[in-house]
Amino acid sequence: MSVTSTDLITVRGVRKRFGAREVLRDIDLNILAGSITVILGTNGAGKTTLLRILGLLEPADEGTVAYDGVVPGASTVAYGTSTRSPSQDGHFLPLRRQMLLAFQHPAIFSSSVLSNVTYGLQLRGVSRAEAEERSMAALRETGISDRARQHASSLSGGEAARLSVARALALQPRLLFLDEPSASLDPYGTKLLEDLLMHMRDDLGMTAVVVTQDIFEARRVADQVAFLHQGRIIEQAPRDDFFTNPRDEQTRRFAAGELLV
Amino acid sequence: MGDIGRGFVQAVRLIVSLDPGTYEALGTSLRVTMSALFWSALAGFPLGILLAFSHFRGKQGVMNVVYTLMGFPPVVAGLLVYLLLSRSGPLGPLGLLYTPTAMVIAQITLALPVIVGLSVLGLRGADKGVFDLALTLGATRAQASIALLREARLAILGAVITAFGNAISEVGAAMLVGGNIQGATRTLTTALVLETRQGSFDRAIALGIILLLVSFLVNVVLSRLGEGTSEVGNVRHIN
Ligand SMILES: Nc1ncnc2c1ncn2[C@@H]1O[C@H](COP(=O)(O)OP(=O)(O)O)[C@@H](O)[C@H]1O
Ligand SMILES: [Mg+2]
């Protein structure tokens, strides 16, 4: 794998440990611009951790993550500080504002549903009126516009997941990370999400990285599939190759729904 | 009519007749408590944020000290401040003993740990995910901290109310370092002690009722302030 001009994200040698536990081991991954990459993996494989590193919410212990071929904060290495935290401002804020991560367990501000959506827009200097208009449109598309003035903590799990999707719709990030988005969605919500995802890819050129445990969802939406197992990327391939012609035996068994040992 | 009933009538009488002694004591109580609260909040909330979100060796030890100081007996705090400020003490030359400033200092030692301790507990209890949520939505770290503080606003309000209640109702420290000097350092509580000692139970009960009334009014105002709006945070002017 080499850095190509179409890579939006290039991950090289990323490692992460929590205490003595090695959660990510030597991750190499290429996220193609304008594509949907699905990361498949079992519980505890390190999917959420990887997504948080890509979303600049957590630093890697080792390795690099380049965006458009540039490793953010890398210039500071020359001054002897090689481990800048990605959540530090300055180097990372403009980049962070091009991306959005929807968490596995949807987080909400304790305020109205509407202001949960407008917040990100207003941070970007969008006027209040326009922010509310765009947010209402996003809430309508996700089917929860009648909850707009309600307190967000009163939403059900599935509605909160729809709220996460509405944020993405309103912000239209260049890069969207979804952590098991359909886990709490009903079949309609899942369909809605998958349609929106492909629409944003096709019409807005958005790049998405979607974590899921659902092989069938991967088959439906993925352009690229990466299989993460015990902290390693076992295989990354275009969807059809991944499912019909896996190079790795573990991948074949996972894709076939067999148990891994 | 019993003592309490008479006290109530007397309280109304003292209030409507604008009794100078009572209003002076009330004024001193409020001034001392409010300035102690102001300084404690100014130092205490940043300290609380720092302690809630930083990791360093010995942090648990610091927290244990803070939690212990939250229950610090006011007379002991008063004694320490007294020893500091007394003529032969290290800060004796400042001549602060038996002044309202001395009382403010004593009350800060009581209110500060309450503010720090309760804000740490409140911030830790607030949904941590909110900080990351704000970041991924494009907030700076400062803006994300504001969003988190807003999540913990009820706990913060609780800290202020508790500190206020402790400070305005304590008598031991105010007596020791203030000296209950009429027209200078006499507060509602020290006046109440004096009236009780002199057997003027009516006036004592009246002072107690006024104290409760003031606490009630201040809490109503504080709660109003803490209710806030339905906004996540005022982001209109930050960019
Ligand atoms: N902040 C953390 N501290 C300690 N261990 C963690 C932390 N976050 C994740 N882990 C551990 O790392 C492993 C991978 O977690 P995660 O990335 O959430 O897996 P996945 O999303 O694939 O289920 C798990 O064993 C989890 O317990
Ligand atoms: Mg996960």
Side-chain angles (χ1 to χ4, degrees), chain B residues 56-72:
Chain B
F56 58 91
R57 273 172 63 97
K59 174 174 161 177
Q60 195 50 51
V62 172
M63 284 320 300
N64 287 338
V65 171
V66 170
Y67 293 143
T68 307
L69 289 181
M70 280 172 72
F72 208 37

Side-chain angles (χ1 to χ4, degrees), chain B residues 61-180:
Chain B
V62 172
M63 284 320 300
N64 287 338
V65 171
V66 170
Y67 293 143
T68 307
L69 289 181
M70 280 172 72
F72 208 37
V75 267
V76 181
L79 175 64
L80 290 178
V81 175
Y82 182 92
L83 293 175
L84 269 176
L85 299 182
S86 70
R87 202 175 301 167
S88 54
L91 301 179
L94 297 177
L96 289 175
L97 198 61
Y98 302 135
T99 65
T101 309
M103 297 158 83
V104 171
I105 295 171
Q107 292 203 348
I108 287 175
T109 63
L110 298 170
L112 184 63
V114 171
I115 299 250
V116 173
L118 290 185
S119 58
V120 168
L121 290 176
L123 287 167
R124 286 234 198 99
D127 184 3
K128 279 275 180 45
V130 159
F131 190 81
D132 284 341
L133 175 63
L135 282 185
T136 196
L137 287 170
T140 63
R141 286 183 75 80
Q143 289 167 331
S145 305
I146 291 170
L148 190 61
L149 277 177
R150 207 188 152 278
E151 293 297 306
R153 66 191 179 280
L154 279 181
I156 286 169
L157 178 67
V160 173
I161 286 179
T162 308
F164 172 81
N166 286 0
I168 198 151
S169 64
E170 81 75 32
V171 59
M175 197 68 110
L176 273 179
V177 306
N180 194 23

